[in-house]
């Protein structure tokens, strides 16, 4: 009896020991895996919060030249606090109003250090809202946001750079004049680095914590929240390998595209709360393409470069092309046509067929106007005062192909510029 008991006891003890060992090894393995994953891809899977960000200014200490360059990019200027320098429109008397209809005027006013949009009906003030956040670098235009409690609304009057005038906000009716359209979280997700949503619920207008908002499309939007990276590198100044940070260059083609696609693939439908996607994640786990953007022929250029590029042979028939093939994400290279044309020639090394009427070097230095012509954006489109049709901003198409009419236009312009020189 006793020996059976002893045997049983030993058996139980061994089993327990073995199980403990198994569990223990598993734990270690899991921990190793987690650690590996964490080092590769900082925070994937965990909830992203405000405290995990270090801010773009912090990076300057160790990545000086990248940071200096970055401060001149459209990403940096795309959202700012409202101030004299950030608002492009004029507050000078005579230029500071938008007339909606007889007796219905929105006036743009400065009072001490604040700026307001004020609706006057037959000369009487009806609504007054402050400019709080500026959206848009002003390359094409700007739209302004205003806090009402924890909500953010878009103001009715925007600024259109092409004509240097105030304009009706894109998609806004002329009547009634709207001062309460809530800003979606997606709007901020594409134009800012982080906003802390309060009680996220996709069915009601979002609420945000104004003390936990990071404006600009900052370094950490493309590299992941970096407080841990900064802390680690500060404590290990002799370590030459970057830890707890994502370098998109080391991601697969699809995941690298996803970093930009978060904001450059047009309308998407949310599967998860906003501001949780970070570089290294698969965008498919967070968003599905929206039915609106699937409508054939709709060139939703407000942020849909990926969709348009994907239709091009360059993209389909090269195995490596990403956005970074042509764009240096840290530098403002706007209108540097020669530089972009050199990047085309990293793949198109054969000399171009001669084009009648153009010297070869002219063809060589500007692939862009003929193969990626400017087209009208139907979504960045502003209605001006006393006009019935909106004016569309001109955007580069990323559908890279042969446009015969553009070639004719190019030759004509070149010929007349040569004549002028004579
Ligand atoms: C205390 C110094 C320090 C600070 C501050 C710092 N970094 Fe780094 N970072 C490093 C070092 C060191 C490396 C490794 C060497 C290298 O790649 O330059 C690195 C590497 C990187 C890499 C490349 C990683 C890779 O795998 O190739 C990225 C991206 C990066 N840092 C982004 C940032 C961003 C964004 C910030 C600001 C939020 C930042 N760093 C702040 C020191 C720092
Ligand atoms: C968080 C959203 C977001 C991400 C991520 C993002 N962009 Fe952008 N990007 C924008 C917005 C918004 C603008 C428009 C800025 C403006 O003019 O106000 C923009 C503008 C640009 C421009 C035009 C620059 C100019 O000088 O006018 C280029 C080029 C660009 N992005 C490329 C990229 C590439 C490449 C990536 C990925 C490596 C990327 N973007 C990632 C939101 C984003
Ligand atoms: C719009 C997205 C975007 C923004 C904003 C951005 N980066 Fe990058 N960064 C990238 C991409 C993409 C790469 C990989 C480039 C490549 O493939 O050559 C990269 C590479 C890097 C690298 C490693 C390679 C190198 O060039 O040394 C560092 C370090 C870095 N970024 C730091 C920063 C810092 C610091 C900021 C802010 C001041 C910043 N980045 C802002 C997209 C971005
Ligand atoms: C899917 C991402 C995305 C969303 C959502 C989005 N934008 Fe944009 N926005 C962009 C990109 C990318 C650009 C650069 C131009 C382009 O590609 O069409 C841009 C350009 C702009 C510009 C012109 C900037 C300039 O000077 O050229 C304004 C103004 C603007 N957006 C305002 C808004 C406002 C306001 C909202 C929300 C109500 C919004 N956008 C929603 C991505 C987005
Ligand atoms: C990563 C490599 C790569 C880069 C960079 C690249 N292309 Fe292409 N491109 C291709 C491939 C591959 C094809 C399809 C095979 C071919 O026609 O050579 C192609 C096709 C084309 C075509 C024919 C399209 C058609 O519909 O018949 C044009 C035009 C073109 N590219 C222009 C450009 C221009 C302009 C640039 C720069 C803005 C550029 N490419 C950059 C790889 C590239
Ligand atoms: C084959 C080269 C090429 C590739 C790949 C490419 N672009 Fe561009 N992109 C250009 C050129 C050229 C321009 C015009 C630049 C200029 O004139 O300032 C441009 C302009 C832009 C602009 C500004 C549009 C405007 O008209 O104001 C944005 C935003 C942009 N690209 C985003 C992207 C994104 C996001 C990707 C990846 C999905 C991408 N690009 C891939 C060549 C490319
Ligand atoms: C003045 C307008 C113009 C300029 C500038 C121009 N192209 Fe073209 N390109 C054309 C036309 C038109 C065609 C189609 C007729 C042909 O094949 O000659 C074409 C054809 C092409 C093709 C397709 C060739 C094929 O066999 O299908 C490629 C690739 C291409 N161009 C790339 C470039 C690159 C790269 C540059 C800049 C170095 C450039 N183009 C500059 C007008 C232009």
């Amino acid at each position: 009896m006793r020996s059976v008991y002893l045997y049983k006891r030993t058996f139980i003890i061994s089993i327990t020991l073995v199980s403990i060992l198994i569990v223990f090894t598993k734990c270690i393995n899991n921990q190793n895996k987690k650690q590996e994953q964490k080092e590769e891809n900082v925070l994937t899977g965990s909830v992203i919060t405000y405290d995990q960000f270090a801010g773009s200014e912090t990076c300057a200490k160790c990545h000086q030249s990248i940071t200096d360059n970055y401060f001149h990019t459209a990403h940096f200027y795309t959202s700012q606090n409202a101030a004299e320098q950030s608002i492009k429109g004029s507050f000078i008397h005579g230029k500071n109003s938008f007339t909606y209809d007889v007796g219905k005027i929105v006036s743009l006013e400065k009072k001490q250090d604040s700026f307001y949009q004020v609706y006057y009906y037959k000369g009487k003030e009806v609504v007054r809202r402050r400019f709080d956040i500026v959206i848009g670098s002003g390359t094409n235009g700007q739209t302004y946001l205003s806090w009402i409690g924890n909500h953010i609304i878009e103001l009715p009057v925007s600024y259109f750079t092409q004509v240097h005038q105030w304009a009706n906000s894109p998609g806004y009716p002329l009547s009634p004049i709207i001062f309460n359209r809530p800003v979606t979280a997606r709007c901020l997700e594409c134009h800012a680095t982080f906003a802390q949503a309060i009680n996220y619920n996709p069915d009601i207008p979002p609420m945000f914590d104004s003390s936990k908002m990071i404006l600009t499309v900052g370094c950490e939007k493309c590299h992941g929240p970096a407080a841990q990276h900064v802390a680690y590198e500060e404590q290990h100044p002799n370590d030459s390998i970057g830890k707890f940070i994502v370098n998109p260059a080391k991601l697969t083609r699809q995941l690298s595209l996803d970093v930009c696609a978060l904001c450059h693939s047009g309308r998407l439908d949310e599967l998860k709360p906003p501001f949780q996607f970070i570089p290294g994640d698969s965008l498919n786990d967070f968003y599905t393409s929206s039915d609106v953007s699937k409508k054939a022929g709709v060139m939703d250029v407000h942020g849909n470069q990926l969709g348009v590029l994907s239709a091009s042979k360059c993209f389909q028939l090269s195995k490596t092309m990403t956005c970074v093939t042509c764009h240096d994400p840290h530098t403002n290279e706007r209108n540097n046509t020669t530089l972009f044309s050199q990047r085309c020639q990293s793949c198109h090394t054969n000399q171009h067929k001669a084009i009648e009427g153009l010297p070869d070097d002219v063809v060589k230095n500007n692939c862009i106007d003929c193969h990626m012509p400017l087209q009208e954006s139907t979504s960045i489109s502003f209605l001006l005062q006393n006009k019935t049709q909106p004016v569309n901003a001109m955007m580069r198409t990323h559908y890279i192909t042969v446009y015969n009419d553009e070639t004719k236009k190019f030759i004509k312009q070149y010929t007349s510029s040569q004549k002028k020189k004579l």
Side-chain angles (χ1 to χ4, degrees), residues 56 59-60 63 66-68 70-71 75 217-223 247-249 256 259-260 324 329-330:
S56 301
C59 318
H63 303 287
I66 289 182
T67 311
D68 287 351
Y70 161 78
F71 285 142
H75 284 142
V217 173
C219 316
E220 292 165 282
K221 198 77 187 193
C222 299
H223 294 294
N247 182 350
S256 161
V259 174
C260 314
V324 182
H330 304 135

Side-chain angles (χ1 to χ4, degrees), residues 302-320:
H302 189 170
N304 194 9
Q305 284 78 19
L306 179 61
V308 178
L309 181 69
S310 304
S312 313
K313 278 193 190 157
C314 295
F315 184 83
Q316 290 173 352
L317 298 179
S318 82
K319 292 200 167 62
T320 53

Side-chain angles (χ1 to χ4, degrees), residues 53-63 67 219-220 222-227 229-237 239-243 245-248 250 330:
F53 292 87
S56 301
E57 298 75 17
T58 324
C59 318
K61 212 163 101 188
C62 308
H63 303 287
T67 311
C219 316
E220 292 165 282
C222 299
H223 294 294
H229 170 67
V230 172
Y232 178 88
E233 301 301 338
E234 274 172 353
Q235 283 156 20
H236 302 82
D239 207 338
S240 62
I241 301 165
K243 290 241 166 77
I245 192 82
V246 182
N247 182 350
K250 297 179 180 166
H330 304 135

Side-chain angles (χ1 to χ4, degrees), residues 81-377:
N81 286 315
E84 190 105 46
Q85 317 85 271
S86 58
I87 304 172
K88 295 238 166 183
S90 173
F91 291 89
I92 295 168
H93 191 70
K95 289 184 174 175
N96 67 331
S97 65
F98 187 92
T99 304
Y100 279 84
D101 200 352
V102 186
K104 291 183 179 174
I105 291 177
V106 172
S107 164
L108 297 312
E109 298 177 4
K110 183 182 173 184
K111 215 173 187 185
Q112 274 121 25
D113 288 334
S114 295
F115 300 85
Y116 298 88
Q117 300 204 358
V118 194
Y119 169 33
Y120 293 96
Y121 180 62
K122 294 184 177 161
K124 246 183 81 189
E125 180 175 325
V126 183
V127 189
R128 169 183 293 268
R129 291 266 177 249
R130 198 173 61 201
F131 287 77
D132 288 320
I133 300 171
V134 177
I135 300 286
S137 65
T139 305
N140 288 298
Q142 294 186 325
T143 291
Y144 308 95
L145 312 183
S146 185
W147 284 99
I148 301 182
N150 289 318
H151 292 282
I152 307 176
I153 58 109
E154 186 178 331
L155 292 168
V157 177
S158 286
Y159 175 75
F160 189 28
T161 308
Q162 200 172 304
V163 290
H164 306 291
Q165 273 179 40
W166 296 106
N168 191 32
S169 293
Y172 270 54
L174 284 179
S175 178
I177 303 169
I178 304 176
F179 272 87
N180 59 1
R181 181 181 283 186
V183 162
T184 59
R186 258 309 260 168
C187 179
L188 295 173
E189 179 157 50
C190 288
H191 283 275
T193 301
F194 184 80
Q196 180 70 58
I198 304 170
N199 296 336
Y200 174 74
N201 173 352
D203 299 328
I204 58 170
M207 289 192 281
F208 301 99
D209 181 343
S210 64
S211 68
K212 293 188 174 164
M213 175 157 316
I214 305 171
L215 296 181
T216 81
V217 173
C219 316
E220 292 165 282
K221 198 77 187 193
C222 299
H223 294 294
Q228 210 180 343
H229 170 67
V230 172
Y232 178 88
E233 301 301 338
E234 274 172 353
Q235 283 156 20
H236 302 82
N238 299 322
D239 207 338
S240 62
I241 301 165
K243 290 241 166 77
F244 307 111
I245 192 82
V246 182
N247 182 350
K250 297 179 180 166
L251 298 173
T252 59
R253 183 190 190 190
Q254 187 55 53
L255 292 184
S256 161
L257 285 167
D258 282 359
V259 174
C260 314
L262 173 68
C263 314
H264 288 283
S265 55
R267 287 195 181 84
L268 300 172
D269 289 335
E270 287 165 23
L271 297 171
K272 291 192 183 150
F275 298 103
Q276 294 304 313
F277 170 90
I278 57 168
D281 285 335
S282 171
L283 194 61
N284 280 337
D285 295 340
F286 292 77
Y287 292 97
T288 52
S289 60
S290 159
D291 283 342
V292 181
S293 60
K294 275 185 206 138
K295 268 185 206 148
V298 176
M299 247 264 295
D300 176 19
V301 277
H302 189 170
N304 194 9
Q305 284 78 19
L306 179 61
V308 178
L309 181 69
S310 304
S312 313
K313 278 193 190 157
C314 295
F315 184 83
Q316 290 173 352
L317 298 179
S318 82
K319 292 200 167 62
T320 53
M321 181 181 274
T322 65
C323 310
V324 182
T325 308
C326 299
H327 293 289
D328 173 350
H330 304 135
T331 311
N332 184 342
E333 300 179 325
R334 201 171 180 86
N335 296 328
N336 194 340
T337 306
T338 312
L339 182 68
F340 284 113
S341 302
Q342 282 160 6
R343 292 189 182 142
C344 305
Q345 291 161 80
S346 66
C347 294
H348 297 289
T349 47
N350 289 343
Q351 215 176 337
H352 204 279
K353 265 192 215 161
I355 295 180
E356 215 183 301
L358 296 177
D360 287 349
D361 67 318
V362 171
V363 175
K364 212 176 110 196
N365 287 328
N366 187 351
C367 319
I368 311 307
D369 283 336
C370 289
H371 293 298
M372 297 182 70
L374 288 166
Q375 292 188 345
E376 288 186 28
S377 162

